[in-house]
Amino acid sequence: MNNIAFTVALPLLAAFLLPIISNSSKSAARFIGPFVLLAMLGFSLAYFNMLEHPVAIALGGFRPPLGITFHLDNLSLLMASIIPLIMLVLWPYANIEGYREESLLLLLAGSASGLALSGDLFNIYVFYELLSVASFGLAAANRTGAAFAATFRYLVMSGLGTVLALTGIGLIYTQTGTLNLAHIGLLASQLNNPAGLSAFALIVIGIGVKAEIFPVNGWVPEVYSTASPRISALLAGLISKLAVLVIVRLLVVAYQGPEALTLLLVLGMLGIIWGELSAWRSKDLKRMLSFSSIGQLGMVLVAFSIPGEAGMVAGIAMMLHHLVVKPGLFMLTEHWNGSLNKLAGAAKSSPLAAVLFMLFALSLIGVPPFPGFWAKLLLVTGLVEANTPLYLTALAVLLSATVIEAHYLMHTAIRMYSKGKKKQVKKLHQTPFTLTIISVFAVVLITALITMAPLGNKLQHIAAESSDRALYINTTFAARHTPVRKQISLIKQQSKVQ
Amino acid sequence: MQVTLLTIMEVILMPIVAFIIGLFMVLMMRKLAARLQRRVGPPLFQPLFDIVKLYGKQTQISHGMIHDIGIIMAVGGYVAAEALLPVPGMDGIAAKGGLITLAYLTMVPSLGLALGVGQCANPNGSIGISRALTSMLAYDIPFIIVIFGVAYQFSSTNLVDIIATQQAGGFSTWGISEMPVLAVAGLFAMHASLGKQPFEIYIAPAEIATGPMVEMGGKFLGGLFVMQSFQLYTASVLYVSLFLGGGENWITFLLKSFGVLAIPVVIAYLFPRYRTDDLVRLVWKWPVMLALIGIAFVMN
Amino acid sequence: MNQLDTLLLISLITALISGLGRRHQLIGWATAILLTVQFLALLSISSLGYGGTVIESAVNLTILGQPLSWRFDGLSWFFALITIGAAMASSFFAAGIWAKKYKKHGGNPGLLQFAMSLNVFTMLVLLASGDLLSLFIGWELVSWASLLLMVLAGGIATQWGLRYIVYATAGAMSILAGIGIIYHLTGSFAYADLAAAASTFSTTHVVVLSLLFIAGFGVKMGLLPFHLWQAGAYAETPGPGSAFLGAISSRMGLYAMLIVVFQLIGLGKMIAVEIPFTFLSLRDLLMWVAAFTIIFPTYTALRQNDARYLLAWHGIGQGGYMMMGLLLLDPVGSAGGLLHVFNYATNQAALFLAITAVVYRTHTADLNRLGGLVNRMPLTFLVLLVGIIGLAGIPPMNGFVSKWLIYRSLIIEGMPLLFVATVIGTLGTILSVYKLIHNTFLGQLRLEHEHIREVPWSMLAPMLVVATIIFITGFMPGLVLDWVASAQAALGFTPLAYTLGGVETARGSLDMIWLCGVLFGGFGVGALLFYGGGNKAKRVHQLDNYAGGHFLTADTRYHYSNNFYAGLMHHIGGWYRGTFKWLESSLISIVSLLSGLTQILFHSYHPALFLLITATLSLYFFIG
Amino acid sequence: MSNTDLSNIEVNQKPVAKRSNPFANVFNELVSFCRSRSMFMLHYCTGCGAIELPPAMTSRFDMERLGIQPMVTPRQADILLITGYVSIKTLKRVILTYEQMGAPKYVIGICSCTVNGGMYWQSYATAKKLDEYIPVDLYIAGCMPRPEAVIEGLQQLMAKIKTDEANSWKKYYEHYDYYLGNQQHLFGNNWQTPTDIIGEAKTYQLEGPNTLGEHTKILESVQRPLEPLEMKL
């Protein structure tokens, strides 16, 4: 039953072993990464298939709230399966020489699954730190001056963020005396005070550095435009979502009050505005995409700020959609970097890539029937259902931002389809390898489009499950634990009353 | 069937009557002008002489098929329009068309002419047409307000109804006594639509050599003379039908139509002409203002 | 699988075939024939055009818990008829010899055909939509499909396309917001639920929803002030494409508006909404918007020197008539508005095709570089002539009938100022279409055009067919009024009582059969007088012309074309302020300024500072 | 100067054949009558004589009572009044204008200058005798003739028209070679007017044996084509 721990342990172990193995056999080292990832995928998918209702796994035999718990529900397992999947797609197969990047990637994979699965704040903090370390290394992996400068920026912000997050965690601990999320959930009433809310704010802002939350995302354009596209894709697509996941978990278990949601909403709104407006003016594709991902994360945040299940389903939908689309777009910049003006003729040089760009762009804008539309629809209906002036403002912001988004994305598309100078056009050719990677994302997107109806049902199921606070707590605490049981029934009553 | 046959007879007869009356209207116009200038003026049959002579020209030149068709449309359009304009004893197809239709039908000849002139490839003609259309834009606005007012007042666009309503109560139910302001505006618009001084910038003989007519000789010009008589007839009879209760019988009908026409004609020969933009400015200012005031009265 | 599904399936197959085979030589003909098959499939459900009951599609989807459904009623059928008809004309036009030349100049005719058939498919999906969600999906599909058509020409067209898509997205977002609010209020996307709940909406909701939807759908219609994208976008589309777009594309906005605003939310409520500090109700306001949509674009068209732009600007203006007619809400006016959709589509298709034919031969649509083509392309001239008579709304063509209905209704309703505004628009149309035909077909033939010939039959035939339709439906408007009446019924209006020749009412009727008979009788008399009397006229050379004794030569241009209405412009020229352009560019400036400001954050040297500031602020938010 | 002097030669007067149909005769006479009673004149104000025309038209003498009206373009006019000396440059325009008028058309030379050059008889730049270039129906001599004289002249013309005697315009078609020769002599061999006189003569069967000749051959050799633009499908 504890196999799921391998999804964390295996990659971490492999990450540390890789340098050693690579000394003896380079080819073995090349295979070990994908193999581990496949194993991770196997484990998490196996669980995903078996899972009928959420389970909590106490590691090391200590029962919660004392032990380390992994919370396995559809959402966390989904994320845990996506991690190896996306890593496999973005794996640096072409890299024969070094092992550094592979090692860091495995570290990233391990810590990321840990983050996705963890059920208590301390573990989350640890995995988050590991994740940060891995991502610093990856961001600077191509060893250019600009990349180092950007990574330094990233490092400073991330470090400060961690300190804030740690402070927040500490505050929570002082208030509740526990770091187990489910337990915190039980004691949520104790957090409904300035100190508890401050803790939330600090954690949001701290973790928000990775989640590209406004305004702690100053590193985003720099890093994404200097790191290699694969890494940008990974950071923008996957890592940001994991950070958001942490915030969501906290939100579900402990912070259902309007203040916390308002904070998220406001930050999300500002993120949308800031991201989309900046993207509108940016002059190269990488920066544009990074700004756009800030905007998109803002939308995700806005979605999660909607109370209840509606917010959850919209948020998850937005999150997953962005997770598929943005890496695809970032991979395009492999050969389409530099000024937007130089993109003229790109469509002539590699028509498939241009079509894929259009596909991603349309989905990102939210053109029906692409998946992006359904996500946006959920968000819109959610916002309208929430029906307070602030939420309606957010709706207005969201919709206006979409217009701006449509403008810059189509502007780029039109540039690609315009005539370019011959010399320039040759440089814009995408290699088949990159195209394959991008096509994978496109295929996922189209599959999602075709299977929208069952997918939607599944999504709603996941959202219902993960937005259910009582279920979360109930899962973690075994039914035997009487005092806790009382509290659970109390919470159930409360939610019924609501 | 009987009715249809009768209608067809009327439709044939009405343009002939209109043409004859129109010829006399042309004569009246020229006579009045002569009198105002202390001349004798042309003899009785002068309009007819002109037309016969023009048709009798030995050589005729044409600039192409559209040139010909232009003249055909100019004449034919009015021939058709007359069938929509009731005269005492004959309603023609007035009930099937009505006021709006008539207003638009009377544009057909002008536009046909415009096409013909365009085909001539003469810049003077084109300039003339450009001015003519501009002045049409100018005077049609007050004209259309007037039409609206009348149609609204009598709650009908059917000229037969409008005339019948007016005749029902004698002078006091005439359009002119019920809507005096509109009547004035209508007169103004009618004057402008005649293309006489001071609104004849599109003819401007000394400047653009009679504009649209510049390449018209022989039967082309003859056709235009025919059209002119129809035009005078249509304008005055329409005004009579809208404001003066139409014709109870032929005598009053003729009196009214000639009388109405005399007013703008008398005014015309006392004036030089306005420049195009001045014309537009003038017509958009005074008659439109009057018409709007008139409408305000009607709508109350 | 009922007949509606068959229609949609055929349409999809058409799009797929023309998309996949877009490099094949015969794809043009294949697409055209497939469109004909679609047309036949549409005719198989022609009972809808004669008062038949709604046909529901057998396809039903449920996504995210929302059911999606599709159906056809009289209104959809009416619009679909126009759509497929326009596409057929354009497709046949583009299939033959035109395509060869287009290809030679670097175009891809197959792609054009694909874009058109895709547009048809998406439009049919929109027209068939059975709930708000499928409506929105169809709406967006149409929007993006027409973008494809618009940018085909490349170059400047892409800029217009971009402008279009920004407007279209803004419109779509406005609609999405509206749909969201409705979902909030009714809890579903179904038409029936909305119609049922609409009566309970508060005034604020009615106003907000109406404005959101009218703005959203109005963007596509080119309703003021959202019209700036349209002229260029349509004009720069490759010829047949612009005929298709011009004829029907923007009417999709009208269709959606009819469904949502007129039928479901109900215009009756808008009459009740008074705008503070004015005498106007919300409906009056909309009517004035329609009126200005008629006037401003029409007079902008008057100033155009490019035939395609001129027509495209008119397209915007004519949309105002339809709005106006429908907003009148009575049987006569709404019939006029709907009839004008059909009439205008035929006119615009004929006009754009004729201009495309001119461009095909002369390689220019610049009104200052043409002239005298009537002797070289007489049939094209004829088509253009029929088209402009229709567009200007002069008897005997069909455009007159629909405008007559609108005028009549304005008189019945007693709206003098709107009536005048409408007529001002018509007069402007007359002026500018005369300029169009004069500068292209009349006047001096240029030296370089001496040797051009009439366009080939593959292009002429569709043009002539459309021209014939214009005439026949003008002669017997009852043919179309059949469909209009069932569309009215589908919308919930009282259908118009009509006859084959027009309308028969107690105080003011219209009988086009008589009118045309008399008019052509009149022309016959005129012809008799002309050809029967006097000697036969001798044709002379165009240089044999009176020019004050001046000797004209072929190398000197004496065609009066530039600044054609100089006198008028002397007076009203100063009234063209470009206000809307100014508004648009100031909006862009604002966005640009803001985005400059936002980027400062990311250029800052101390990003961590923001982190601390935000932390402090949010702590203050919770604690303070 | 050309070899023959046509100024006094009568037109090859085909007497108007009385048609067998009396109605047709009446019709012809009616047309002739109308022609005489409706004369549209184009006064080509080449010189000082023009000053005498306004009084003839306005209230004092009132030409309109005779059915005479001024017109502004040759297409509309029946009578071309040449009012004074004709310089060579002007002559070109006069000929152009004359040819653009629709037949029957009449030319009246007013003032002595049109008869023989008048006071300009020594001038190198003036055409002395107008009827060497276009057929003239009537001269009204004087320097300048008073309005009474003008009206008297017009009335004489009216009388001639009424009886179908004013046929000088036919002369131009029938002896076009002669007139063209004189014109070419003055303006050079490149001389060409936009009006296709020969074509017109053929169309309306107005050709005579002297319509074509050596001068028209020269014209044909230098002529820019003047065929009307045919409508082509």
Side-chain angles (χ1 to χ4, degrees), chain B residues 55 58 60 62 64 76 95-97 104 111 114 118-122 126 129-130 137 154-155 157 215 219 277 299, chain C residues 299 374 394 404 407 414 434 438 443 507-511 514 522 530 534-535 538-540 545-546 558 564 570-571:
Chain B
Y55 271 92
Q58 286 265 346
Q60 316 253 9
S62 154
K96 298 182 193 299
Y104 277 85
L111 294 177
Q119 164 87 332
C120 295
N122 193 311
S126 298
I129 290 297
S130 124
L137 172 66
F154 300 117
S155 64
T157 54
E215 278 296 302
K219 57 183 174 180
D277 48 329
M299 300 293 291
Chain C
Y299 281 81
V374 58
I394 294 171
W404 187 91
Y407 300 143
Y434 179 71
H438 173 269
R507 297 182 78 80
S509 33
L510 178 71
D511 192 337
W514 268 100
F530 185 83
N535 271 354
K538 179 183 179 300
R539 300 282 311 270
V540 296
N545 226 319
Y546 173 73
Y558 58 88
F564 193 71
H570 198 74
H571 184 44

Side-chain angles (χ1 to χ4, degrees), chain C residues 424-446:
Chain C
I424 289 174
T426 303
L427 293 172
T429 313
I430 294 175
L431 260 66
S432 67
V433 296
Y434 179 71
K435 173 181 158 176
L436 173 70
I437 200 165
H438 173 269
N439 288 9
T440 44
F441 280 99
L442 303 176
Q444 183 195 10
L445 184 70
R446 291 172 78 100

Side-chain angles (χ1 to χ4, degrees), chain B residues 19-36:
Chain B
F19 178 54
I20 295 167
I21 298 176
L23 282 179
F24 283 101
M25 283 177 167
V26 173
L27 180 74
M28 180 190 75
M29 185 181 74
R30 289 174 67 173
K31 272 285 192 194
L32 273 175
R35 288 295 180 214
L36 286 169

Side-chain angles (χ1 to χ4, degrees), chain B residues 30 37-43 46 49-50 52-53 56-61 205 209-210 213-217, chain D residues 33-35 37-38 40 57-59 62 64-65 67 69 72-73 75-78 102-104 169 204 231:
Chain B
R30 289 174 67 173
Q37 293 163 357
R38 299 197 178 176
R39 291 188 285 117
V40 178
Q46 187 63 45
F49 293 160
D50 288 346
V52 173
K53 177 212 61 180
K57 279 274 190 184
Q58 286 265 346
T59 64
Q60 316 253 9
I61 65 103
T210 61
M213 276 100 81
V214 61
E215 278 296 302
M216 305 288 180
Chain D
F33 176 75
C34 288
R35 266 179 202 151
R37 294 306 299 271
S38 159
F40 295 170
M57 285 183 274
T58 48
S59 45
D62 188 20
E64 202 186 0
R65 72 199 148 93
Q69 277 185 21
V72 290
T73 81
R75 299 293 186 204
Q76 303 162 348
D78 307 308
W169 56 274
Y204 295 102
M231 206 172 256

Side-chain angles (χ1 to χ4, degrees), chain B residues 9-25 79 82-83 85-90 229-230 233-234 237 250 253-254 257-258:
Chain B
M9 290 290 290
E10 287 181 1
V11 165
I12 293 170
L13 208 55
M14 282 158 87
I16 297 174
V17 172
F19 178 54
I20 295 167
I21 298 176
L23 282 179
F24 283 101
M25 283 177 167
V79 169
E82 305 318 342
L85 207 55
V87 293
M90 290 192 280
S229 42
F230 277 130
Y233 170 84
T234 312
V237 172
W250 278 100
F253 176 72
L254 289 177
S257 347
F258 279 88

